Amino acid sequence: MSLGQTVLNKAVAIMGVLNITPDSFSDGGRYLSVAAALAQAEALVTAGADILDIGGESTRPGASEVSEAEEIDRVVPVIQAVRQRFDVTISVDTRKPSVMRAAVAAGAHWINDVEALRAPGALDAAVELDVPVCLMHMQGQPGTMQKAPSYTDVTTEVTEFLLERARACVRAGLQPDRILLDPGFGFGKTLAHNTALFQGLPTLVAQGYPVLVGVSRKRMLGQLLDEPEPEGRVLGGAVAAVLALQYGARVVRTHDVKETAQAIRILNALAPMQ
Ligand code: 7PM
């Protein structure tokens, strides 16, 4: 990672979200979408992003499936263009092995997989590509995961799942120092699950892998703040991000890089110890 800041003497990184979907950069063909994505990439880098998470598939509950070819068509030109212009770590947000291969060939440095390499062929692709991988926990599938999430002990179950996926990766040949773990806030979790899991972050951090946390603009913030609009959850997201870093997380994934970077600077100035 190229790391901008430290918290508690540990390097931390801000991952900015760059979604390439027709709803975010619409019509006019590929040239316009690439131009719009590049403008967004520049804004995120200028605001302080160390990593850009580039994704062409929406994991929104109920979102329609995107074909492999369409996903590759969306992300590859943007990855190439970002790689040419900016000195930033590029992460590809995908569950599909063919997209992982095309993205890394185009210049992506990391894989971010909300399915933790469980798709057929995904684990082998990641081992072959030999890049860092973020393994995320999700209960169920994006379309239905919020219907009836259920856990006996959410922190223990999420931690066990992620450790099992990390062991599978290591058995398959991935180097342990290339693995990050992510509890997957909002992915098959109620508000009570999400808050318990957040408070349980030290347990996940204690397993020894770097932890990535993504809460930016999510519904859990909307519920805590009684704020229906994602744009109204920015401050809550920045506060949650610094709390996650204080709990020992190493990477925060956010739509709001400028505000998150500011929150981290204040954290460093006023609470650098412990
Ligand atoms: C609708 C629902 C739209 C959820 C977008 C989302 C994470 C991620 C996402 C995360 C990692 C969002 C999510 N969230 N990857 N991809 N960790 N590693 O809010 O928390 O961006 S998609």
Side-chain angles (χ1 to χ4, degrees):
M1 330 175 203
S2 69
L3 301 158
Q5 315 211 49
T6 58
V7 170
L8 309 180
N9 283 323
K10 292 265 206 176
V12 300
I14 299 177
M15 172 186 267
V17 180
L18 186 54
N19 282 323
I20 320 295
T21 50
D23 29 302
S24 45
F25 301 107
S26 61
D27 38 80
R30 287 294 159 208
Y31 175 75
L32 275 183
S33 343
V34 174
L38 265 182
Q40 175 69 3
E42 181 167 23
L44 292 167
V45 170
T46 303
D50 305 288
I51 306 160
L52 293 186
D53 191 34
I54 301 182
E57 180 206 33
S58 178
T59 40
R60 200 180 301 275
S64 56
E65 295 261 329
V66 176
S67 76
E68 285 183 13
E70 175 62 22
E71 206 180 320
I72 290 172
D73 256 32
R74 287 181 188 177
V75 298
V76 161
V78 176
I79 291 170
Q80 286 170 335
V82 168
R83 204 34 222 254
Q84 265 178 26
R85 287 168 183 77
F86 308 111
D87 182 21
V88 67
T89 297
I90 298 169
S91 149
V92 61
D93 186 349
T94 189
R95 302 183 278 168
K96 298 185 182 76
S98 59
V99 181
M100 294 172 187
R101 288 200 175 85
V104 172
H109 306 90
W110 282 25
I111 296 167
N112 172 29
D113 184 359
V114 299
E115 225 169 32
L117 303 177
R118 285 179 291 164
L123 185 48
D124 291 341
V127 172
E128 181 190 308
L129 295 168
D130 199 25
V131 293
V133 175
C134 178
L135 304 172
M136 198 196 80
H137 175 274
M138 167 167 56
Q139 186 180 83
Q141 285 296 312
T144 50
M145 64 191 178
Q146 290 306 114
K147 292 232 161 103
S150 161
Y151 302 84
T152 307
D153 177 335
V154 67
T155 300
T156 305
E157 286 169 55
V158 167
T159 301
E160 283 307 313
F161 169 85
L162 291 172
L163 287 179
E164 176 48 39
R165 292 310 299 155
R167 284 192 288 269
C169 288
V170 173
R171 276 199 302 273
L174 208 76
Q175 296 173 52
D177 66 355
R178 303 210 160 175
I179 297 171
L180 293 95
L181 304 182
D182 180 344
F185 289 103
F187 285 83
K189 287 143 192 128
T190 64
L191 176 61
H193 295 141
N194 286 315
T195 56
L197 192 53
F198 200 100
Q199 292 165 30
L201 278 172
T203 302
L204 184 57
V205 166
Q207 308 306 315
Y209 290 99
V211 169
L212 185 152
V213 165
V215 289
S216 150
R217 299 192 183 186
K218 282 187 181 173
R219 201 162 74 99
M220 64 180 281
L221 300 175
Q223 291 166 316
L224 292 170
L225 299 170
D226 194 13
E227 174 55 71
E229 298 303 326
E231 293 75 15
R233 304 169 185 166
V234 174
L235 180 57
V239 171
V242 298
L243 290 172
L245 295 173
Q246 279 208 311
Y247 276 140
R250 301 289 295 278
V251 184
V252 284
R253 181 182 181 277
T254 182
H255 302 82
D256 305 299
V257 171
K258 183 176 180 186
E259 293 82 356
T260 304
Q262 286 189 343
I264 296 172
R265 285 171 74 158
I266 299 302
L267 172 68
N268 278 329
L270 303 184
M273 70 302 278
Q274 283 162 52

